[in-house]
Amino acid sequence: MLKKIIYVAGYGRSGSTLLDMMLSSHPDVFGAGEMSTICRHVWPNDEFCACHNRVRACPLWSGVMAEWLAGGIDPAAHARLQQKIEPVVAPARILGGTTARQYAQQTLALLRITAAHRGQPVLLDSSKAPGRALALAAAAADAGLDFRAIHLVRDPRAVAWSMSKPMKIDTEAGVQKRIRAHPAWRTALRWSYVNAGADALMRRLPETRAIRIRYEDLVAHPAETLALIGLAVDLPELAKRGAAIAEGQPIAAEHQVAGSRIRMSGPMALKADLHWQDRMAPAARAQVERITAGRMRRYGYE
Ligand SMILES: [Zn+2]
């Protein structure tokens, strides 16, 4: 039975798939990956789950979706609701109306069914969009569920470098659609906007129920960072898991429904991706620094 929702908010390419895999090492936590993608493209296109089955053949998601859809949900209509709510950086209560209520009820039902099928009380949703978090936080409060948030931040220069590389479609390897190369300035602007939304989410949650962490600290000091997360999400056992991961214990995705390619890689040891530091063009780097300077300082980047 679902007792707690942990939501990872932030911008893309920030390491949320890795964080999801690390937190899933806790026996009570099911790391579902980016659940907001289910109706948008994973289910309609029958994309690959991290278990290497297509999602409609996955022993978990086929059962979860059968139950959820039997409750009268139309995936295309739910995706339209998502479009209205998720990009918006305002709490569902303020948005009000049937749309927000419907969105929150349907989403919460999906989370409950997923936790029940897994037999785990803590559901980790790494969808990242702050609007989804705000709507879910309100719905969880009404339903008496414990809602916690992790705002995951990564150096915008690393994010811009990652997004400057195109990727060919390779569904089996976890690349579900062709990814275009994005200019550094565009990534810098979007990084600022989405992180501003995540900051708004952080301000609305009680300090004891939310935490901001940096990708760089997570990979350099996994034991300490997971201990801090453990306090914020009230799962103190995470400190032990973090220490084991720091000592090389492998992490793996089980049924992450969407996320970065590493979810398909099988058990792996934690490793940092800091390639941008010696590969990023100085001009692109300077452009990102100019656009994001204030927020970079705020998050403690040089
Ligand atoms: Zn699966």
Side-chain angles (χ1 to χ4, degrees):
M1 194 179 81
L2 179 64
K3 293 213 169 97
K4 185 184 297 193
I5 298 165
I6 304 176
Y7 191 90
V8 178
Y11 192 56
R13 310 288 176 93
S14 295
S16 67
T17 302
L18 190 73
L19 176 62
D20 192 302
M21 288 159 71
M22 292 169 79
L23 299 182
S24 298
S25 64
H26 190 296
D28 286 349
V29 178
F30 174 57
E34 296 177 24
M35 288 187 83
S36 68
T37 60
I38 292 178
C39 287
R40 288 196 283 117
H41 53 84
V42 173
W43 189 257
N45 301 342
D46 200 13
E47 293 171 3
F48 280 89
C49 176
C51 69
H52 292 272
N53 286 304
R54 287 196 180 264
V55 74
R56 292 179 190 221
C58 161
L60 174 69
W61 293 111
S62 59
V64 167
M65 288 301 282
E67 189 175 336
W68 190 51
L69 300 180
I73 310 278
D74 167 23
H78 183 75
R80 283 194 295 277
L81 283 178
Q82 288 186 276
Q83 247 169 17
K84 287 188 188 140
I85 302 290
E86 290 177 358
V88 181
V89 183
R93 262 187 232 287
I94 292 176
L95 292 171
T98 344
T99 310
R101 246 195 324 276
Q102 238 181 359
Y103 167 84
Q105 278 167 0
Q106 293 183 359
T107 307
L108 203 55
L110 176 63
L111 268 55
R112 280 191 200 276
I113 293 168
T114 306
H117 277 246
R118 284 294 299 179
Q120 285 167 300
V122 184
L123 192 120
L124 174 64
D125 180 357
S126 307
S127 293
K128 300 197 293 283
R132 180 179 177 89
L134 287 160
L136 268 178
D142 291 344
L145 289 169
D146 190 351
F147 183 89
R148 313 273 170 151
I150 302 171
H151 177 194
L152 177 63
V153 178
R154 188 175 188 182
D155 190 317
R157 294 166 294 191
V159 177
W161 186 76
S162 170
M163 293 222 161
S164 70
K165 296 174 293 178
M167 263 188 253
K168 279 206 198 99
I169 189 160
D170 185 352
T171 46
E172 209 156 345
V175 184
Q176 318 268 14
K177 55 181 183 194
R178 193 171 71 90
I179 295 172
R180 279 182 304 147
H182 292 298
W185 61 265
R186 179 187 183 273
T187 302
L189 287 173
R190 289 179 55 86
W191 178 91
S192 301
Y193 173 75
V194 174
N195 278 304
D199 281 348
L201 168 70
M202 297 294 280
R203 282 194 297 275
R204 287 197 177 92
L205 292 174
E207 250 175 59
T208 50
R209 285 166 185 264
I211 185 170
R212 178 180 298 114
I213 59 159
R214 305 190 311 172
Y215 167 83
E216 293 77 11
D217 298 325
L218 180 69
V219 292
H221 311 290
E224 294 79 353
T225 311
L226 252 60
L228 289 173
I229 294 174
L231 293 175
V233 302
D234 194 23
L235 293 173
E237 156 93 8
L238 277 176
K240 244 188 279 172
R241 305 282 158 180
I245 292 166
E247 277 161 27
Q249 185 181 296
I251 50 171
E254 210 177 336
H255 291 288
Q256 275 188 13
V257 75
S260 83
R261 278 174 302 175
I262 59 165
R263 79 195 166 94
M264 308 303 286
S265 67
M268 55 174 258
L270 175 66
K271 66 173 191 290
D273 175 1
L274 302 168
H275 294 308
W276 71 274
Q277 290 174 347
D278 41 57
R279 295 189 196 167
M280 191 176 189
R285 189 173 167 147
Q287 204 173 40
V288 174
E289 286 166 357
R290 262 199 310 279
I291 294 170
T292 61
R295 200 163 286 280
M296 273 184 77
R297 262 196 304 279
R298 182 173 149 67
Y299 298 149
Y301 292 109
E302 299 273 319

